[in-house]
Amino acid sequence: EIVLTQSPGTLSLSPGERATLSCRASQSVTSNYLAWYQQKPGQAPRLLIYDAFTRATVIPDRFSGSGSGADFTLTISRLEPEDFALYYCQQYASSPMTFGQGTRLEIK
Amino acid sequence: EVQLVESGGGLVQPGGSLRLSCAASGFPFFNNWMTWVRQAPGKGLERVAYINEHGYETYHVDSVRGRFTISRDNAKNSLYLQMNSLRVEDTAMYYCVKGIGFFDAWGQGTLVTVSP
């Protein structure tokens, strides 16, 4: 089973700043089958990025994904107030599919 | 617009049963794999089960295998999760999700609480 470790656990930033969230896999994620989700309190997760760097439908271009192998990054170029939420990475390259434990992005 | 609407959650005692349903619309349900994902209170995400387009291939995570059964009715555009022998640790929000790899559509979830 591929274990995904997200860091940091909590990230405190201000609107307008750049956010960099990390997702490290215990082994290589083949074909870069990695996704990122955003979850706000009381809501279901929302797909942001799939296949490591492809933005999902209607996701603003301030969200970008990068990385390969076992190291992946979600970058939010300029934080908007609505971006403060919980973020999960997920690998779907290897069975069983697994999620990271999440990074909480909070307002500083 | 893709819509997934779950129902059937509630409070149940350990050892009890529930049947979750998910009504799908806005996409060709018969042509899509479907998944149930759960999230315990304050915890992360866990895939519980998935099913192929025709219902012939299913998967259940080890912790629920033999107790939960995923199924579907393509004529009714509906997905189901039969949950038997429920345990306290099954307490979670259960989401109906489109897909098997990455998940591009989620329902709002239905809460299952297992408590004496």
Side-chain angles (χ1 to χ4, degrees), chain A residues 37 39 44 88 90 97 99, chain B residues 39 45 47 95 101 103 106-107:
Chain A
Y37 299 86
Q39 187 176 32
Y88 292 98
Q90 174 219 4
M97 177 223 78
F99 290 95
Chain B
Q39 186 172 35
L45 300 163
R47 181 179 64 181
Y95 294 102
F103 304 126
W106 297 64

Side-chain angles (χ1 to χ4, degrees), chain A residues 34-52:
Chain A
L34 187 113
W36 290 93
Y37 299 86
Q38 177 193 68
Q39 187 176 32
K40 297 180 180 180
Q43 296 184 18
R46 175 176 71 145
L47 177 68
L48 300 174
I49 302 287
Y50 63 93
D51 294 350

Side-chain angles (χ1 to χ4, degrees), chain B residues 5-12 16-24 29 35-39 46 48-49 51 64 67-73 77-84 86 90-97 108-114:
Chain B
V5 180
E6 303 95 334
S7 61
L11 175 62
V12 62
S17 297
L18 283 174
R19 189 193 195 207
L20 306 185
S21 298
C22 170
F29 180 76
T35 299
W36 286 99
V37 173
R38 68 183 177 183
Q39 186 172 35
E46 178 186 36
V48 175
I51 189 166
V64 309
R67 301 187 298 120
F68 291 10
T69 303
I70 189 172
S71 63
R72 66 191 295 160
D73 185 338
N77 283 354
S78 292
L79 179 72
Y80 306 102
L81 186 67
Q82 178 65 45
M83 310 166 67
N84 298 330
L86 281 159
D90 295 319
T91 294
M93 184 71 78
Y94 285 74
Y95 294 102
C96 168
V97 182
Q108 84 289 349
T110 188
L111 182 62
V112 172
T113 303
V114 186

